[in-house]
Every structure is written in C-alpha cells, then in structure tokens.
Amino acid sequence: MANHKSALKRIRQNEVRKVRNRYYHKTARTAIKVLRNEEDKAAATEQLPKVIALLDRLAKKNIIHKNKAANLKSKLAKHVNKLA
C-alpha cells in the first residue's frame, strides 16, 4: 500500500479514469456493433457520422489508438457504401 499522500491520490484518480475509459470504450464498441448490423442504407448513412465522431474523440483522448480509429472508420465507411 502506498505511504505518500500524493500516491494515494494518484491511485484514486487512476481508478476513476479507468472506470470512465472503460465506459467510453464499451459505448463505442456497442455503437460500432449497431452500425455493422444495420441493413438499411439510409439509417446507416445517418449513424455513420456520429460513430466516426465518437471514434475520433476516443482517439484524441488516447482511449484507442489513432490508427485503430482510422481502420475502424474505413471499414465502417466501406460497409455503409456496400449496402444496397
């Protein structure tokens, strides 16, 4: 166990950030899954900018890597364009 006041504070901060980051990451995964399962092109086209913005925010906050965000955005865009 930590003995310094600053170390105890750091432990508390890390725990809060871990929970928050896990929530953001899980929310993004759910949004991606919903978009991938979408069959209607109009609905998917409407959802795509929201999901892309969400991925950009996560990459900016270093919750996911910027290249992973780019790969996901590319694959989602290809999926939406392929819908009939």
Side-chain angles (χ1 to χ4, degrees), residues 7-46:
L8 293 171
K9 181 178 177 182
R10 176 65 55 204
I11 290 169
R12 290 195 308 269
Q13 287 176 331
N14 286 340
E15 182 62 28
V16 168
R17 289 180 183 141
K18 182 176 85 171
V19 171
R20 187 183 307 132
N21 289 341
R22 186 182 295 164
Y23 169 77
Y24 288 145
H25 198 187
K26 183 64 177 168
T27 303
R29 285 194 314 216
T30 304
I32 291 167
K33 188 185 296 185
V34 167
L35 181 58
R36 279 195 182 131
N37 292 333
E38 188 63 55
E39 298 295 329
D40 182 30
K41 186 172 178 79
T45 305
E46 185 180 324

